[in-house]
Amino acid sequence: MDSSSSSSDQESLRPGDHVHPDRALIVGDGAFAMAMATAMARRGSDVRILSHTATVRDEINAGENKTTSLPGYKVHGNIKAYTSIEDACAPDVQIVLLVIPTQFLRRFLVTNLAKLPVGCPIVACAKGFEVGTAETPYEMMVGELPGKYHRHFAVLAGPSFAKEIMDGQPTNVVVASESREVATLVARYVSDGSTLRAYVSDDVVGIEVSGAVKNVLAIASGALDGLGFGNNARAALVCRGLAELTRLAVAAGSNGRAMAGLAGVGDLMLTCSSSLSRNFTVGSKMAGGMTLEEIQGGTNAVAEGVATAKSVRVLAGRLGVEMPICDAVYRALYEGLSPRVALAELQARPLGAEGGLVAGE
């Protein structure tokens, strides 16, 4: 059982309890948005996509995933796209998934704070910290949306590449909320009893810090791959990166359980070991000699770890947490530090006791 969830939580999620919402609203039209829309549509839900452009809206409504990072996949017949939130947000929407990059979330919330449906779960699916404030998506929702929404907030995270969800491959995620009732309802809505399974957690802070920091660590892992290093180096990175992630999460208020679960070690293992990860790809290309500007200029996909590296550095400094790997990634991205030199510096640090995930040096 996922250690980020209590036994009583899991007892409430029996196999026969999966229910699909009659109507769901998904804000965003990227790969993960379309994957979650497809997973829910396959179960019979009427899924409405709030798209950011008329071009993408029309392509989705024509049945094609041309510009959503999932070329070659047909759009399910239960999915329809809109560009107006008034049109997309029907009165009987039962769940809202916010699947837009962290750096654009606050603007969406401020613009639409009076337009979202009231009384249904609002689930943040983005991973990262906002540049400038170092706030998480959950914190931004609390800060920007009126109080009538607050008890319905949740976050969704875990190892979940969009392509594999589209292919119907087994995928487990975790839903966290300050309300067990809301977390359980969201888990039931997104689980299908066969390929997609959701656990529940009350560690919102741990889930969000894990989801943010793992993207920065994935850049480091991609750099190791680009430099030609093998499994020993990657295993060390995952382990020591998990220690950094855990120290930051606990300092930020996590109860410490999430990091051993799907959003922590699970998502860290996934993003640090696959070229399907946009962040991994950034690191690999940097190690190959490309600049950050060249990498970002060649793709429309958002690698959240690039911006998150700035906020991790700010938050770690604010909380007095040592994060040498994440700091090295920041310096490689923004100060011109060579990935090979960064690795050499990390390996040359003073020796110390491992000491466990929270206290380790």
Side-chain angles (χ1 to χ4, degrees):
M1 183 179 69
D2 178 11
S3 62
S4 67
S5 309
S6 70
S7 59
S8 59
D9 288 333
Q10 295 315 304
E11 288 169 1
S12 69
L13 294 174
R14 296 182 298 271
D17 286 342
H18 309 291
V19 294
H20 70 267
D22 292 328
R23 180 162 292 165
L25 170 63
I26 296 183
V27 179
D29 54 20
F32 191 70
M34 293 305 297
M36 291 303 296
T38 301
M40 300 179 81
R42 286 169 176 164
R43 299 176 57 212
S45 297
D46 170 16
V47 182
R48 296 183 167 214
I49 293 285
L50 182 60
S51 184
H52 73 296
T53 70
T55 299
V56 177
R57 176 202 63 195
D58 293 344
E59 288 178 356
I60 292 172
N61 290 338
E64 299 293 338
N65 271 307
K66 291 182 180 177
T67 55
T68 60
S69 302
L70 291 170
Y73 289 93
K74 293 292 185 181
V75 176
H76 195 282
N78 289 350
I79 298 173
K80 187 173 182 180
Y82 303 81
T83 51
S84 162
I85 192 169
E86 289 84 0
D87 293 336
C89 201
D92 55 350
V93 164
Q94 293 172 275
I95 185 172
V96 178
L97 300 185
L98 302 178
V99 197
I100 51 181
T102 301
Q103 307 310 320
F104 302 105
L105 178 59
R106 188 183 300 276
R107 184 173 65 189
F108 171 82
L109 296 174
V110 170
T111 303
N112 299 288
L113 58 85
K115 301 175 182 178
L116 291 169
V118 179
C120 70
I122 299 177
V123 188
C125 300
K127 300 170 182 177
F129 298 115
E130 184 183 39
V131 173
T133 67
E135 287 191 357
T136 65
Y138 196 97
E139 290 173 323
M140 282 188 271
M141 290 196 298
V142 170
E144 298 297 347
L145 293 180
K148 62 185 178 181
Y149 291 106
H150 289 191
R151 73 183 189 90
H152 303 288
F153 292 158
V155 295
L156 184 148
S160 49
F161 283 152
K163 184 178 184 300
E164 295 188 8
I165 294 175
M166 293 293 289
D167 289 337
Q169 296 190 32
T171 301
N172 286 12
V173 296
V174 58
V175 177
S177 175
E178 294 180 2
S179 164
R180 177 183 167 185
E181 178 184 0
V182 171
T184 301
L185 180 60
V186 174
R188 286 174 171 158
Y189 277 167
V190 302
S191 299
D192 62 14
S194 56
T195 61
L196 185 58
R197 174 180 174 85
Y199 288 81
V200 297
S201 171
D202 62 357
D203 190 4
V204 174
V205 173
I207 297 296
E208 289 208 294
V209 172
S210 295
V213 177
K214 64 92 182 177
N215 285 331
V216 180
L217 296 169
I219 295 174
S221 184
L224 289 178
D225 184 74
L227 291 171
F229 295 111
N231 296 321
N232 288 357
R234 181 177 299 164
L237 171 70
V238 168
C239 184
R240 298 315 306 159
L242 182 61
E244 292 189 15
L245 184 160
T246 302
R247 287 198 295 265
L248 185 65
V250 171
S254 166
N255 60 29
R257 291 197 293 268
M259 284 66 76
L262 290 163
V265 67
D267 213 357
L268 184 60
M269 289 177 63
L270 182 75
T271 53
C272 285
S273 60
S274 174
S275 59
L276 287 177
S277 164
R278 295 186 292 267
N279 297 287
F280 183 96
T281 300
V282 167
S284 180
K285 289 181 177 180
M286 286 188 67
M290 292 181 68
T291 66
L292 180 59
E293 292 72 21
E294 290 171 338
I295 296 168
Q296 292 181 318
T299 179
N300 292 323
V302 177
E304 291 272 23
V306 173
T308 299
K310 295 180 180 179
S311 298
V312 168
R313 198 182 208 215
V314 170
L315 188 59
R318 185 187 303 166
L319 298 176
V321 177
E322 186 182 23
M323 303 185 71
I325 299 174
C326 290
D327 190 64
V329 171
Y330 172 87
R331 292 167 61 206
L333 288 170
Y334 299 108
E335 295 181 356
L337 179 66
S338 159
R340 190 175 294 277
V341 172
L343 175 61
E345 290 182 356
L346 288 169
Q347 288 295 89
R349 295 176 69 244
L351 301 179
E354 186 171 38
L357 289 177
V358 176
E361 294 295 325

